[in-house]
Amino acid sequence: MKEFRQLTVADTEEYHKVLIDGYAAITDFPLTFAALEFHTEESNERIENYPIYRLKITGTLVSSIKLCMTWV
């Protein structure tokens, strides 16, 4: 089953793990992402300040997308 919805602060731990794991997969490339150094509190702040959506497949969070609002 697929489920797509906006994240809430209750999703912070799960979102943080996917965020860190996703960026960690590209550390072999000469790119720098601030999110590599994120702490759980910073992931929580993102959820509180931006519309972030997630995709779960069979109960597992597999992807997220953050909408950057130019007026924020």
Side-chain angles (χ1 to χ4, degrees):
M1 181 171 109
K2 294 179 185 176
E3 182 188 8
F4 186 75
R5 70 164 174 80
Q6 188 169 355
L7 292 173
T8 66
V9 292
D11 301 304
T12 299
E13 291 293 329
E14 193 175 25
Y15 168 67
H16 183 73
K17 181 174 177 9
V18 167
L19 183 69
I20 297 302
D21 290 351
Y23 283 117
I26 58 172
T27 56
D28 292 338
F29 299 98
L31 303 170
T32 303
F33 293 99
L36 281 169
E37 304 296 324
F38 264 27
H39 298 282
T40 305
E41 296 81 20
E42 292 167 296
S43 293
N44 189 56
E45 286 177 25
R46 275 185 165 202
I47 291 171
E48 290 176 334
N49 294 311
Y50 296 96
I52 302 174
Y53 293 85
R54 57 102 162 131
L55 173 64
K56 271 191 172 183
I57 299 177
T58 317
T60 302
L61 181 60
V62 296
S63 181
S64 67
I65 185 169
K66 178 181 91 171
L67 303 177
C68 293
M69 313 303 254
T70 58
W71 54 87
V72 172

